[in-house]
Amino acid sequence: MRSTPIVTVVRYLLLDRVTYLVLPWAWAAFGFVLDVVVLQLIPGGHGDDRWVGGLVAVPLVMLVVGAQSVARALPFALTLGVSRRTYFLGATALALALSVGFGLAVAIGRIVERATGGWGIGMAYFRVPHLLDGPWYLSWLTAMTVLVLMFVYGMWYGLVYRRTGLPGTTAFAAAQLGALALAALVATWAHGWTDIGHYLGTVTATGLTGVLAAVVAILLTGGFATIRRMTI
């Protein structure tokens, strides 16, 4: 059976198996070992749900993987006749597949973590406070959404770099930092930090996942608009 164009793009990207199939899992394992070492060195016994943050390495790796999926692999694919739309959809499909798999691993890890009393040392590796601390299925969905978000955000950066080079990418990053700084100034002038803190303290994991999904949609729209304007 002949593969669809999107599946062909996924297979093309997976020729680099180390980047997509090994690197995120290797960093997850490294983060786990690092958390164990850190908690063993911290005095105070084995309390419950001690979180260090090693799992954060995986979304950061997905950001880099997403960027290189277009910064390095896209030009050759375009010269082979792959359309920009097909490539974008294929890379997004790969991001979703990878995130579904890793999200499931997080959900299973949460179950094992709880059953073993935090791996015997009260460690919360898969339970991220206020983000991955709900039911296993919600942790799966949230982890999946976060990883897709980071991948497509990295893709957008890679596309901007391919189209505008380092000056354009720097301006792209500066514009986002400027927007955040402006929002912080407005919140300060309006004395709104207390309300913001209250909202963040009361928002549910379901609501947060919905917000993250909306951000994914925005990033996909921006990335697709950028790739449509690229030249080979």
Side-chain angles (χ1 to χ4, degrees):
M1 181 181 295
R2 186 176 180 180
S3 299
T4 64
I6 293 176
V7 173
T8 300
V9 171
V10 173
R11 293 174 62 184
Y12 163 70
L13 290 171
L14 287 178
L15 290 175
D16 185 3
R17 292 180 176 83
V18 172
T19 297
Y20 296 99
L21 301 180
V22 176
L23 198 59
W25 296 97
W27 272 98
F30 174 76
F32 184 90
V33 173
L34 184 63
D35 279 13
V36 171
V37 172
V38 169
L39 290 180
Q40 293 293 342
L41 295 176
I42 294 177
H46 295 171
D48 293 333
D49 294 334
R50 297 190 297 167
W51 184 74
V52 177
L55 191 64
V56 175
V58 180
L60 296 178
V61 170
M62 290 292 280
L63 176 73
V64 175
V65 170
Q68 74 86 35
S69 69
V70 291
R72 188 173 67 181
L74 175 60
F76 184 65
L78 294 181
T79 61
L80 294 177
V82 177
S83 70
R84 294 161 181 76
R85 177 179 177 274
T86 299
Y87 189 91
F88 188 82
L89 292 176
T92 302
L94 177 59
L96 181 60
L98 295 175
S99 300
V100 167
F102 199 88
L104 180 60
V106 169
I108 295 174
R110 282 284 316 279
I111 296 173
V112 176
E113 194 167 82
R114 179 172 297 178
T116 58
W119 313 100
I121 58 174
M123 181 175 74
Y125 178 73
F126 292 103
R127 180 188 174 277
V128 180
H130 308 298
L131 184 64
L132 301 177
D133 57 359
W136 70 268
Y137 52 87
L138 185 56
S139 295
W140 182 5
L141 180 62
T142 304
M144 180 186 71
T145 306
V146 169
L147 293 175
V148 170
L149 186 154
M150 296 300 287
F151 191 103
V152 299
Y153 188 41
M155 265 205 313
W156 197 4
Y157 262 95
L159 289 168
V160 170
Y161 178 79
R162 292 301 313 178
R163 187 168 188 269
T164 64
L166 183 59
T169 307
T170 303
F172 180 64
Q176 295 174 70
L177 291 175
L180 290 175
L182 180 60
L185 284 175
V186 171
T188 300
W189 290 334
H191 305 286
W193 286 112
T194 301
D195 293 335
I196 293 174
H198 177 73
Y199 171 77
L200 294 177
T202 58
V203 66
T204 64
T206 305
L208 181 58
T209 302
V211 172
L212 294 175
V215 175
V216 170
I218 294 171
L219 296 177
L220 287 173
T221 301
F224 186 67
T226 304
I227 198 173
R228 289 185 60 187
R229 292 169 173 78
M230 285 187 58
T231 57
I232 299 177

